[in-house]
Amino acid sequence: MKIWQFVIKEVLYRKTSFLLTALCVAVAVGAFSCAAALLKINDTKAGSILAEKQKQTEKQMAILNDDMRKATLRLGFNLAILPKEQSIGDWYADDFGSTYMPYEYVDKLVNSGIISIRHLLPVLQQKITWPEYKRKIILVGTHGEVPNLHKNKKVPLVQPVETGQIVLGYELSQSLKLNVGDKVKLMQEEFTVSKCYTERGNKDDITAWIPLDKAQQMLNKTGKINAIIALQCLCVKGDLSVVRKEVTSALPDTKAIELSKEKVLARLETRTKAAHSARLTLENQKQTMLNLSKQREKFASTFVIIVICTTGLWIWFLAFSNVSQRKEEIGILNAIGFKSSQILLLFVSRAFLTGVLGGTIGLTAGIWFGKYFALKADIASANKLFGEYFDCKTAVITFILAVVLSLIASWLPAISACRQDPAEVLNKG
Amino acid sequence: MLEIKNVSKTFDGPDGKVEALKDTNLSLKPGEFLAIHGPSGSGKSTLLLTAAGMLAPDKGKVFLEEQDFYSLSVNKRSIFRSKKIGFVFQQFCLVNYLSVAENIMSPSAALGCDNCPQRAKELMKKFNLEHRANHYPAQLSTGERQRVAMARAMFNNPAIIMADEPTGNLDEDNSKVLIDFLLDFKNKNGAVIIVTHDSRIVDFADRSIKLNEGMVL
């Protein structure tokens, strides 16, 4: 006879005890594998929910961005395109440029294909003393907006001044007592007042607008301008440098400075805030899910540890009662020549079989429950034996754990069995 | 063959130390039938287990075929015992989950055996157990159980059979059968030590000793 025959025979003889022990192992393994599967399912589900939310948020962000773009469309910024050599200090100090560039630059810019610039206003402006009234004014020569040829024609932002006409700022018209229709002389040229602006509270109040060609002639700057005002420019993601780069690549001898900076910043800030807010929401969701996942993991590991300890104690108890039941048998086996190691092997083999059976039952139950919950959670791989919710490696580890648990819990009883003194059992005299 | 020299054994009892054996001496030759009798607690079973190498004495030596039993390691002693001694107990001590044939063959798990089933068959035939080969101990009569225990004791062709109250649970007929087997073993040059209260066995023995309070009287 062989030792394994003893083990099998004993297991078959004490089926209930063996099955109870295997059941304990199965409960521990089932709890472990089920918890592992549920955590995986939860992570997978949370991941897909998060991905879906991210998609939705991105979609909403795009809509929001577009809404923002539309809402802030009119907050386009203004640029002044000046000759490259123009001192910016002088520009701000004098309110006009002291250097000039050819009028052809306007056409060049229009034909360059820049889409971010919508309205161009070529101007020639200079602070002069109005000889007839002996007072300082800003004289602006303009012919209104130059349409951007490659795009749809825009509604002009500034009406052109007709030939022979002059438009006066509020302070000028008031102090000189000039009204629409009045004839007025400027540098010996006669103009008819076509419009008097209401008070603006800025330099426009002391400005007089005349046709550009007339101004060029009067200021002796034929074919010249000293600035191109680009009105309501659009810029991608609020990046002004892009527009500047486009302008300077079309007109290398120029530079662009920004007017009405606050509007640009407001627009940029609004769009950035919207993006930031969406990102923050997404991050918060991720963090919340991560925290929930950690909490679940903590709970699951505590639960599994409690189950393993409890079932371990129960296996230990059952193994001890098995040893107690077999005291006489151990004595007689000793008497007929069994070595301690052979008796130990009897009990360890039994524990191994318990682990194998319990592990198989527990693992099957764990996989089954995992599959059930995965199907309920609509996990794509739920129909596979080992889907996303349970991998082969985890199964092998779980199975090994089952055997190890059974061996550890049965070890002390087995040791006590092999150390049992046969004389204690057999001595009746 | 078996020499027990000045063996003493003390146990811790509830009222202090109990001297189970006091300077006991005993010898046994091949083909000798020795009966040990005495009142309960006189140290009969202790003497038997000490002689079998299962209970180390506090003092003294046990020699079996000139081998100092207790100078051997526990494992070597187990193997030596298995080869030289066959055991029969009052409670039979059969393994419940093994059939009759398997119980008889069970010593082979410890020592190994070339032709175990054949040897088991021979013994079952000898002890009239062939029809019970696949029965379990719970399905046997007390006489049959004791015959199985006897067959198991003889499985390894031991030099000595040690029996502790083997007829204690048997009726007269079964006791007679058992005694006949033991006498048959003795007649084939086997040695028998039997611990008993049964005066009939004492009558069959070549020699009997009486123990009282751990001392041979």
Side-chain angles (χ1 to χ4, degrees):
Chain A
M1 277 194 85
K2 304 284 177 209
I3 296 285
W4 65 264
Q5 286 174 294
F6 276 76
V7 177
I8 300 291
K9 285 269 177 181
E10 195 274 332
V11 163
L12 293 173
Y13 181 72
R14 294 192 179 92
K15 287 184 215 73
T16 314
S17 156
F18 180 77
L19 287 176
L20 267 179
T21 317
L23 193 68
C24 285
V25 179
V27 167
V29 170
F32 177 80
S33 52
C34 201
L38 283 177
L39 285 176
K40 268 268 173 71
I41 287 167
N42 182 64
D43 281 353
T44 311
K45 195 69 191 163
S48 65
I49 290 171
L50 205 61
E52 187 58 37
K53 283 226 166 178
Q54 191 157 3
K55 233 181 196 175
Q56 278 177 6
T57 309
E58 274 166 10
K59 212 171 171 183
Q60 280 169 352
M61 258 177 76
I63 294 167
L64 186 68
N65 225 353
D66 195 48
D67 287 347
M68 283 293 170
R69 189 186 61 76
K70 285 172 186 165
T72 57
L73 202 57
R74 294 202 176 274
L75 293 178
F77 57 91
N78 300 335
L79 276 183
I81 300 163
L82 306 171
K84 202 174 190 175
E85 62 274 16
Q86 174 64 51
S87 153
I88 302 299
D90 291 349
W91 166 267
Y92 286 125
D94 300 337
D95 281 333
F96 62 90
S98 53
T99 54
Y100 302 91
M101 55 189 167
Y103 179 85
E104 289 76 40
Y105 276 21
V106 179
D107 298 328
K108 236 180 179 178
L109 199 58
V110 165
N111 295 323
S112 67
I114 294 176
I115 55 166
S116 50
I117 292 178
R118 301 198 299 174
H119 305 276
L120 295 173
L121 194 65
V123 290
L124 176 66
Q125 55 185 344
Q126 204 164 312
K127 202 181 266 182
I128 58 162
T129 301
W130 194 339
E132 284 77 3
Y133 293 103
K134 308 226 183 307
R135 61 158 299 167
K136 286 200 170 175
I137 62 162
I138 296 170
L139 179 67
V140 177
T142 179
H143 66 36
E145 184 216 8
V146 175
N148 204 344
L149 295 177
H150 66 280
K151 291 190 286 190
N152 294 334
K153 197 160 183 173
K154 304 286 174 190
V155 179
L157 292 180
V158 180
Q159 291 298 331
V161 185
E162 299 292 334
T163 308
Q165 291 187 346
I166 189 167
V167 175
L168 297 174
Y170 178 75
E171 203 278 331
L172 281 182
S173 62
Q174 290 298 307
S175 60
L176 302 177
K177 295 186 180 12
L178 293 170
N179 294 306
V180 175
D182 289 349
K183 301 277 183 195
V184 65
K185 277 204 168 180
L186 172 62
M187 297 171 80
Q188 296 171 355
E189 294 287 341
E190 193 175 82
F191 296 94
T192 305
V193 178
S194 63
K195 195 173 187 176
C196 296
Y197 286 131
T198 53
E199 190 173 15
R200 289 179 176 175
N202 58 25
K203 63 171 186 166
D204 284 357
D205 290 346
I206 57 159
T207 301
W209 290 268
I210 58 171
L212 179 62
D213 53 351
K214 197 70 188 170
Q216 285 171 332
Q217 180 203 321
M218 285 162 63
L219 296 173
N220 209 17
K221 300 289 179 194
T222 309
K224 302 274 185 190
I225 51 174
N226 55 3
I228 304 167
I229 308 298
L231 297 169
Q232 291 185 2
C233 299
L234 299 172
C235 54
V236 182
K237 294 177 187 169
D239 194 353
L240 191 61
S241 63
V242 176
V243 186
R244 278 181 169 161
K245 208 173 166 187
E246 281 183 344
V247 169
T248 49
S249 66
L251 302 173
D253 292 336
T254 63
K255 60 183 165 194
I257 63 164
E258 182 194 335
L259 306 171
S260 313
K261 193 174 183 178
E262 293 76 11
K263 287 182 179 179
V264 181
L265 288 179
R267 183 178 182 184
L268 181 63
E269 203 173 298
T270 312
R271 295 175 84 168
T272 311
K273 265 186 183 171
H276 180 68
S277 163
R279 265 199 304 274
L280 208 65
T281 310
L282 209 62
E283 280 302 316
N284 281 343
Q285 280 172 351
K286 266 187 194 170
Q287 197 55 47
T288 309
M289 284 197 171
L290 200 69
N291 288 342
L292 274 174
S293 175
K294 274 184 186 168
Q295 277 176 6
R296 279 195 202 101
E297 262 176 47
K298 203 174 166 185
F299 173 76
S301 52
T302 312
F303 170 73
V304 167
I305 286 169
I306 290 170
V307 170
I308 287 176
C309 288
T310 312
T311 50
L313 272 175
W314 189 238
I315 295 166
W316 179 82
F317 172 76
L318 288 171
F320 249 121
S321 65
N322 182 255
V323 170
S324 302
Q325 277 180 331
R326 297 171 70 182
K327 268 190 175 176
E328 192 184 88
E329 179 195 331
I330 295 163
I332 193 63
L333 291 179
N334 236 309
I336 63 175
F338 271 61
K339 289 179 271 185
S340 301
S341 56
Q342 287 175 311
I343 291 170
L344 181 69
L345 190 62
L346 278 179
F347 287 89
V348 169
S349 304
R350 188 184 198 272
F352 178 79
L353 282 183
T354 311
V356 169
L357 181 68
T360 309
I361 296 171
L363 202 56
T364 310
I367 291 171
W368 189 86
F369 275 112
K371 207 182 189 75
Y372 173 75
F373 286 117
L375 278 170
K376 272 201 133 184
D378 204 21
I379 302 286
S381 61
N383 281 318
K384 292 180 191 166
L385 178 61
F386 297 117
E388 282 168 60
Y389 61 94
F390 208 84
D391 55 55
C392 198
K393 194 177 157 193
T394 313
V396 172
I397 290 171
T398 311
F399 193 76
I400 291 169
L401 275 179
V403 177
V404 170
L405 172 72
S406 180
L407 287 176
I408 287 174
S410 307
W411 183 251
L412 278 180
I415 289 285
S416 86
C418 78
R419 284 185 182 165
Q420 203 163 281
D421 186 356
E424 263 182 45
V425 184
L426 301 174
N427 193 356
K428 311 267 197 236
Chain B
M1 178 181 222
L2 178 70
E3 287 270 349
I4 295 175
K5 287 184 177 174
N6 305 320
V7 164
S8 295
K9 182 70 186 175
T10 308
F11 292 110
D12 289 324
D15 301 321
K17 301 255 180 206
V18 177
E19 277 195 290
L21 294 173
K22 293 175 192 168
D23 271 332
T24 306
N25 288 289
L26 188 74
S27 67
L28 188 71
K29 292 178 198 141
E32 192 177 10
F33 193 131
L34 174 67
I36 302 170
H37 61 109
S40 291
S42 60
K44 300 185 299 290
S45 294
T46 304
L47 181 61
L48 194 72
L49 291 170
T50 307
M54 292 169 73
L55 189 64
D58 299 331
K59 209 177 84 182
K61 301 234 178 221
V62 177
F63 293 94
L64 180 61
E65 292 187 340
E66 294 173 2
Q67 169 68 55
D68 181 355
F69 223 153
Y70 291 97
S71 68
L72 296 171
S73 69
V74 175
N75 281 340
K76 279 186 178 165
R77 209 188 308 155
S78 287
I79 294 165
F80 190 63
R81 178 170 58 239
S82 184
K83 283 178 181 168
K84 301 292 175 189
I85 304 171
F87 273 99
V88 182
F89 299 94
Q90 182 180 356
Q91 303 298 333
F92 322 126
C93 293
L94 298 178
V95 180
N96 291 331
Y97 52 82
L98 298 182
S99 67
V100 165
E102 288 162 344
N103 259 296
I104 293 169
M105 286 192 287
S106 60
S108 68
L111 279 185
C113 168
D114 290 337
N115 202 6
C116 298
Q118 188 54 39
R119 173 79 180 136
K121 255 184 194 171
E122 284 167 18
L123 287 167
M124 281 190 288
K125 191 174 179 186
K126 182 180 169 78
F127 288 95
N128 194 24
L129 289 166
E130 280 171 305
H131 62 296
R132 296 293 203 183
N134 295 318
H135 287 70
Y136 288 86
Q139 299 166 316
L140 304 176
S141 68
T142 48
E144 284 170 331
R145 282 183 215 174
Q146 193 58 297
R147 294 211 301 275
V148 175
M150 191 68 198
R152 182 181 62 189
M154 295 184 75
F155 185 79
N156 284 332
N157 286 316
I160 306 177
I161 284 185
M162 294 187 178
D164 191 356
E165 304 272 11
T167 57
N169 284 329
L170 298 181
D171 58 27
E172 201 168 324
D173 292 340
N174 281 312
S175 297
K176 176 84 176 57
V177 171
L178 185 85
I179 290 166
D180 286 345
F181 283 130
L182 290 173
L183 285 172
D184 180 52
F185 179 71
K186 178 211 114 157
N187 291 336
K188 286 174 182 161
N189 211 31
V192 176
I193 302 181
I194 193 162
V195 167
T196 185
H197 283 110
D198 193 338
S199 56
R200 290 167 302 173
I201 293 185
V202 177
D203 293 341
F204 285 110
D206 296 325
R207 189 157 60 99
S208 72
I209 57 169
K210 187 173 181 183
L211 271 183
N212 195 17
E213 293 185 350
M215 290 175 75
V216 178
L217 296 178

